[in-house]
Amino acid sequence: MFHWLEKNPFFFSLAFVAVFSIAGLVEILPGFAKTARPLEGLRPYSVLETAGRQVYIEEGCYNCHSQLIRPFKSETDRYGPYSLSGEYAYDRPFLWGSKRTGPDLHRVGDIRSTDWHANHMWEPTSVVPGSIMPSYKPLYSSKTDFDTAYAEAYTQKVVFGVPYDTKGGVELGSVEQAKANFLKEAGVIVADMNDPKVAEAYKKGEVPKIVALIAYLNSLGQSRRVAQGQ
């Protein structure tokens, strides 16, 4: 057989490519699967954070902000530790982005507070002089879509096996349980925002989109490596 292949360069090339490809896959795939596993202690997004992530996508924030810190000193000095693949295990879709009109946000939860985000989203230049980012005032009066966020989290659990409802982890539970946790978590954000109109909407049982978005932004960083409630 090998003698025949030596006399037929075309088929020899095909056989070489086939063998080389199989060997490459055997070598690469196990390592890829290992690095793609969730980091130890990484928790899924809560329903409120999921709702905020949906707002982030809806508003096209990924068009101007990346969520991928490369292993270069210039980036780690500015944005924090470089990103690891296991940090994105529960992200569907990934929001790496490819443009930085604004700064990278993958560690923004480690360096910014709720009230900073509240002021920044209302009037960017109030905290970042010269900022070209637009104001997002409509988010302060638009209501968060809890049902869609819960459906997204439930799909992540059932279809993709995201570990909700595990000991020491993020509780999803029934719709009623999730709604109670959603409102409780939102209450913490609302209190830190110190915005009377947002607080008034919350008293009526409504959660403005800005609350969910800030919850999501606060989750970006080292905090997601610690199980909720610990």
Side-chain angles (χ1 to χ4, degrees):
M1 176 180 177
F2 295 108
H3 182 68
W4 179 83
L5 285 174
E6 290 175 357
K7 292 183 177 180
N8 294 272
F10 176 74
F11 292 104
F12 179 85
S13 298
L14 290 179
F16 173 80
V17 170
V19 173
F20 185 81
S21 299
I22 293 171
L25 290 174
V26 170
E27 180 68 25
I28 293 171
L29 286 180
F32 179 80
K34 182 178 180 180
T35 57
R37 292 172 185 164
L39 292 181
E40 184 176 355
L42 181 72
R43 65 172 180 80
Y45 296 108
S46 68
V47 176
L48 182 64
E49 291 164 356
T50 297
R53 194 168 191 269
Q54 292 172 339
V55 174
Y56 185 95
I57 294 172
E58 178 183 295
E59 295 297 328
C61 301
Y62 54 85
N63 289 316
C64 293
H65 294 280
S66 62
Q67 287 190 34
L68 181 63
I69 305 170
R70 296 171 295 183
F72 305 139
K73 188 175 186 302
S74 59
E75 298 210 4
T76 56
D77 284 350
R78 182 178 183 185
Y79 301 123
Y82 63 84
S83 303
L84 302 172
S85 60
E87 295 180 87
Y88 303 99
Y90 304 141
D91 285 21
R92 295 179 180 85
F94 300 122
L95 298 175
W96 294 324
S98 59
K99 187 179 180 183
R100 285 180 181 163
T101 301
D104 186 275
L105 299 180
H106 198 211
R107 308 284 183 217
V108 71
D110 298 334
I111 60 174
R112 300 301 186 191
S113 62
T114 293
D115 63 330
W116 188 94
H117 285 305
N119 291 321
H120 184 236
M121 299 300 290
W122 180 264
E123 186 54 67
T125 55
S126 67
V127 291
V128 183
S131 174
I132 62 172
M133 182 174 128
S135 172
Y136 285 87
K137 291 183 174 73
L139 297 182
Y140 290 72
S141 56
S142 301
K143 184 179 177 181
T144 298
D145 185 351
F146 165 79
D147 293 333
T148 300
Y150 178 80
E152 171 68 20
Y154 186 78
T155 300
Q156 296 285 342
K157 175 184 177 180
V158 174
V159 177
F160 299 104
V162 174
Y164 285 102
D165 297 320
T166 58
K167 185 177 180 180
V170 176
E171 181 183 3
L172 185 60
S174 65
V175 175
E176 292 75 18
Q177 291 172 319
K179 186 64 176 287
N181 291 333
F182 175 85
L183 291 172
K184 181 179 179 181
E185 187 180 349
V188 175
I189 302 293
V190 171
D192 289 342
M193 286 180 66
N194 195 29
D195 185 305
K197 291 185 178 180
V198 171
E200 185 64 29
Y202 179 72
K203 288 180 181 179
K204 297 177 182 177
E206 299 177 357
V207 176
K209 287 184 177 180
I210 186 62
V211 175
L213 178 60
I214 291 176
Y216 171 65
L217 294 173
N218 286 344
S219 77
L220 297 177
Q222 302 292 327
S223 60
R224 281 196 66 219
R225 296 190 186 187
V226 181
Q228 193 178 51
Q230 294 186 342

